[in-house]
Amino acid sequence: MAAAAHHLACTEPVGSLDDLGPLGAAIGDAPVVGLGEVLHGSHELYTLKHRVFRYLVAEKGFRTFALEASWSAGLRLDAYVRTGAGDPRRVMAEEFSCGRAPWHVREYLDLVRWMRKHNARHPHQRVRFLGADLSHPRLGRALFQDVIGHVGRCRPDLLAEFRGYYRELRAPPATADLAALPRADRERLADLAARAVERLRVLATSADSTGHAWAVQQAWNIAETTALLALDLGDPGQHREAMQRRDALLAHNVAWWHWHVGDKVLMSAHNGHTAYATYDPDFYPVTQGTLLRAELGRGYLSVGTTFGSGERVDTGADGRWETTAFGPPAPGSSEETLAHAARLAGHRDLVLDMRAVPAVARTWLDEPRPTRDIGHPDDPYRQYILGAGHDILIHLDRLRAAHPLREDQTRS
């Protein structure tokens, strides 16, 4: 593995990007790349994604950065990077779980601001921001407006019908917290949202095919979010169904964007989503990566990340930011061997195309070993086959905690 590894000069989005050439060669012509993260909330993992996106924009013609964040957040941040409309700090504070999600950090604000500056300098090569995850009725007002506005333009005779589908979803208490409603109400609202999608799909709107496709996509996101929130997450079977539906939604949104917008996409999410093989069959029965490979074939490529030691920042049960530290890799773990390979190669951080390693290394990569998978709840190691989960690995020696955007900073 040391012989096959390539040096990663740094993870910061500054200076020369030449050291990412081997990563670019390994990516090849794949138009959708999933760059995973072994945990949320670390500075180097976030800045690495910013740096890789800059490289892919400059060298590979990529145009969209997709994040494991809500569809509605993506729409608002995309409006900012395209036009400069809005305040990205405010959008992030409102959309990222009221400032408590692991994306509400300076590192992502820096990425969004760079995207806006890029678009101002290169108006004919605009980059876009996509939120691929669940939306929320309270913050996803634009979704309802787009659907009803489209119906009003193309089939005004059906306006009352579609307003009826969404009347309760758009009004309190559904807009406050859909998940807090009684289950019977959630299921009824989910049924109404699903009927709106099916009704919209069959409308004859050939005069505005692009607008129709967008309206259907907006309605679909409303329906899928509502259906998922109608499930009882306290029931193990329904919790499993919810996780499966969520990864299906993540995959659909990325694939839809690629096909309809036409952009090459760098997708950022946890390793547990972007991988081909699940790290946790009980929590993620079918991954986003598995579904994207089925949809796009070799057009989807998975890049996983591992690390030696370090920190992450996250919010605890009381909503306050807290830092968690992780020591050196456990004996016998995947990370222990990767760290040893990095030292042998003289690298601090490395890029490894697992498809191009010598046979003996490939044999090692194709066997299950204790491998970090840090999510919610934390379970630091799982038996995992790295060679089955990803095409490429990026191993980082040390991680530091990301930098939260505090409330006082958000108002500034």
Side-chain angles (χ1 to χ4, degrees):
M1 285 195 289
H6 296 281
H7 177 51
L8 184 65
C10 74
T11 59
E12 298 299 315
V14 295
S16 171
L17 303 175
D18 290 348
D19 60 302
L20 292 176
L23 176 63
I27 288 172
D29 295 328
V32 179
V33 175
L35 179 47
E37 55 199 50
V38 58
L39 52 77
H40 298 318
S42 288
H43 172 82
E44 283 75 12
L45 289 172
Y46 291 167
T47 56
L48 171 69
K49 298 186 180 194
H50 184 167
R51 188 166 188 258
V52 169
F53 185 58
R54 287 196 188 197
Y55 171 83
L56 293 176
V57 169
E59 302 296 334
K60 292 283 187 177
F62 277 60
R63 292 290 177 265
T64 290
F65 184 90
L67 180 62
E68 183 193 339
S70 75
W71 179 260
S72 57
L75 295 179
R76 296 177 71 187
L77 290 172
D78 185 55
Y80 170 75
V81 302
R82 285 187 295 108
T83 70
D87 177 359
R89 278 183 179 271
R90 179 175 180 178
V91 173
M92 291 171 68
E94 292 176 350
E95 290 279 358
F96 294 160
S97 298
C98 298
R100 294 192 298 273
W103 327 126
H104 191 235
V105 292
R106 188 184 72 199
E107 289 80 359
Y108 271 112
L109 180 62
D110 289 345
L111 168 62
V112 169
R113 285 177 167 168
W114 173 82
M115 294 173 72
R116 176 62 204 142
K117 290 177 182 177
H118 171 90
N119 287 344
R121 292 192 301 266
H122 307 283
H124 301 297
Q125 297 177 339
R126 291 190 307 178
V127 293
R128 306 283 302 270
F129 193 100
L130 167 63
D133 212 338
L134 303 176
S135 192
H136 191 288
R138 180 171 63 86
L139 295 168
R141 292 184 293 271
L143 282 67
F144 296 106
Q145 292 165 1
D146 284 355
V147 175
I148 292 174
H150 175 73
V151 172
R153 289 188 298 273
C154 299
R155 292 293 303 272
D157 56 307
L158 299 178
L159 262 178
E161 178 182 341
F162 276 84
R163 284 172 175 157
Y165 291 137
Y166 294 138
R167 182 173 294 110
E168 291 180 79
L169 273 173
R170 299 176 70 191
T175 53
D177 189 357
L178 184 63
L181 294 176
R183 184 177 174 189
D185 288 342
R186 301 199 310 270
E187 290 177 341
R188 180 173 51 78
L189 293 174
D191 179 65
L192 287 169
R195 285 163 58 189
V197 179
E198 295 309 310
R199 189 77 169 98
L200 189 62
R201 278 178 171 154
V202 300
L203 294 183
T205 56
S206 57
D208 184 17
S209 58
T210 300
H212 184 65
W214 180 254
V216 171
Q217 172 67 2
Q218 299 287 65
W220 184 88
N221 268 283
I222 294 170
E224 286 300 302
T225 296
T226 310
L228 194 149
L229 293 176
L231 295 171
D232 179 5
L233 299 185
D235 177 270
Q238 292 199 36
H239 186 275
R240 182 182 173 89
E241 180 184 348
M243 294 303 100
Q244 186 162 338
R245 291 190 77 132
R246 182 182 172 214
D247 269 60
L249 178 143
L250 286 163
H252 169 88
N253 282 337
V254 171
W256 184 93
W257 189 275
H258 168 61
W259 291 127
H260 287 79
V261 176
D263 282 1
K264 291 185 175 182
V265 180
L266 177 66
M267 181 187 73
S268 170
H270 195 281
N271 280 349
H273 294 299
T274 62
Y276 303 123
T278 181
Y279 281 77
D280 183 353
D282 292 327
F283 203 74
Y284 297 118
V286 180
T287 68
Q288 178 187 19
T290 300
L291 297 168
L292 282 170
R293 174 52 66 90
E295 171 80 9
L296 303 175
R298 296 293 173 181
Y300 174 70
L301 181 140
S302 175
V303 182
T305 56
T306 58
F307 74 101
S309 60
E311 301 173 335
R312 76 161 180 184
V313 67
D314 199 2
T315 50
D318 60 359
R320 296 185 179 183
W321 291 97
E322 55 188 34
T323 299
T324 304
F326 300 89
S333 65
S334 298
E335 291 80 4
E336 182 189 48
T337 300
L338 289 164
H340 185 50
R343 290 192 296 271
L344 286 175
H347 305 331
R348 182 176 179 273
D349 303 323
L350 61 80
V351 176
L352 185 69
D353 184 349
M354 294 188 291
R355 302 162 300 178
V357 297
V360 65
R362 185 69 209 189
T363 298
W364 184 91
L365 290 164
D366 285 342
E367 295 176 353
R369 301 181 189 280
T371 304
R372 278 186 174 125
D373 172 39
I374 301 168
H376 298 284
D378 288 350
D379 186 358
Y381 289 95
R382 298 183 186 278
Q383 290 293 319
Y384 194 69
I385 302 173
L386 283 172
H390 309 281
D391 300 294
I392 301 167
L393 280 179
I394 297 178
H395 180 79
L396 304 180
D397 177 60
R398 182 163 181 80
L399 303 179
R400 294 170 294 167
H403 300 84
L405 292 171
R406 312 281 180 179
E407 187 178 356
D408 58 335
Q409 296 174 317
T410 301
R411 288 198 300 262
S412 65

